[in-house]
């Protein structure tokens, strides 16, 4: 049995997709860190760029380099649009569970995803899939990924109804 030759175009596309996914994960982590440390977006962004992107975790094992522009864009838009994003999230949650009462990791995830839904050209379905995958990384055995899917679907339909 022979193995197919590598397709350079597909490999490049896969690398770009992985970098975008990594940027989204890093953005959720950065937003979480900003909330818990009370540090500015600029300071946390610089820390991530200096110590996370391409950082060697252990000898020979590096973290994935992210798409720096996307990472910056998500952070900036999450901060600039936070009030609107939080209001959208509140409307998607059960009335008894405002965003201030949910897990801080989920709050950071909703803000990152919300920034893309509100202020980017990213297709809503792509945003939902990407952030559900991030939820699975943080909560591999929990119900949170399904919860994230439902909340982001509601937010996406509000932010970009024409996409559905």
């Amino acid at each position: 049995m022979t193995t197919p030759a590598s397709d350079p175009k597909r490999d490049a596309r896969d690398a770009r997709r992985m970098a975008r996914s990594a940027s989204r994960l890093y953005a959720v982590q950065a937003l979480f860190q900003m909330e818990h440390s009370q540090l500015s977006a600029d300071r946390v962004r610089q820390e991530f760029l200096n110590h996370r992107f391409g950082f060697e975790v252990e000898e020979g094992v590096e973290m994935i380099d992210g798409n720096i522009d996307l990472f910056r864009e998500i952070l900036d838009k999450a901060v600039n649009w936070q009030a609107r994003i939080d209001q959208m999230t509140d409307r998607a949650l059960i009335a008894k569970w405002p965003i201030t009462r949910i897990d801080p990791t989920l709050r950071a995830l909703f803000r990152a995803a919300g920034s893309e839904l509100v202020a980017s050209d990213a297709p809503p379905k792509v945003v939902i899939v990407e952030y559900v995958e991030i939820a699975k990384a943080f909560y591999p055995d929990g119900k949170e990924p399904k919860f994230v899917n439902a909340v982001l679907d509601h937010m996406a339909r509000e932010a970009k109804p024409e996409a559905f």
Side-chain angles (χ1 to χ4, degrees), residues 140-157:
D141 300 322
K143 296 178 182 176
E144 290 85 354
K146 289 180 182 178
F147 174 67
V148 166
N149 186 59
V151 170
L152 291 182
D153 182 68
H154 188 278
M155 291 171 66
R157 290 173 188 277

Side-chain angles (χ1 to χ4, degrees), residues 56-72:
E56 189 170 68
V57 179
E58 56 187 58
E59 190 173 331
V61 179
E62 290 184 3
M63 294 181 75
I64 295 173
D65 266 336
N67 177 310
I68 293 171
D69 292 335
L70 178 61
F71 173 74
R72 285 183 174 145

Side-chain angles (χ1 to χ4, degrees), residues 11-116:
D11 291 347
R13 261 193 324 272
D14 288 347
R16 283 192 303 273
R17 186 179 42 75
M18 286 178 61
R20 292 180 68 78
S21 293
S23 295
R24 289 177 170 114
L25 174 65
Y26 295 152
V28 170
Q29 292 172 329
L31 289 165
F32 176 90
Q33 184 174 330
M34 286 168 50
E35 183 174 335
H36 280 275
S37 67
Q38 301 298 314
L39 294 174
S40 70
D42 290 335
R43 183 138 180 228
V44 171
R45 178 187 307 108
Q46 201 55 49
E47 179 183 318
F48 270 72
L49 294 175
N50 291 340
H51 301 289
R52 301 275 177 113
F53 282 62
F55 179 74
E56 189 170 68
V57 179
E58 56 187 58
E59 190 173 331
V61 179
E62 290 184 3
M63 294 181 75
I64 295 173
D65 266 336
N67 177 310
I68 293 171
D69 292 335
L70 178 61
F71 173 74
R72 285 183 174 145
E73 181 181 321
I74 293 170
L75 279 186
D76 291 345
K77 289 179 179 179
V79 170
N80 292 336
W81 292 90
Q82 183 175 327
R84 180 176 175 196
I85 293 165
D86 286 356
Q87 290 167 0
M88 285 175 50
T89 306
D90 278 342
R91 287 190 290 274
L93 296 169
I94 298 171
K96 295 179 183 177
W97 288 97
I99 194 168
T100 55
R101 288 190 62 194
I102 64 171
D103 180 90
T105 302
L106 289 175
R107 193 167 38 249
L109 187 147
F110 292 140
R111 287 175 177 157
S115 75
E116 292 197 66

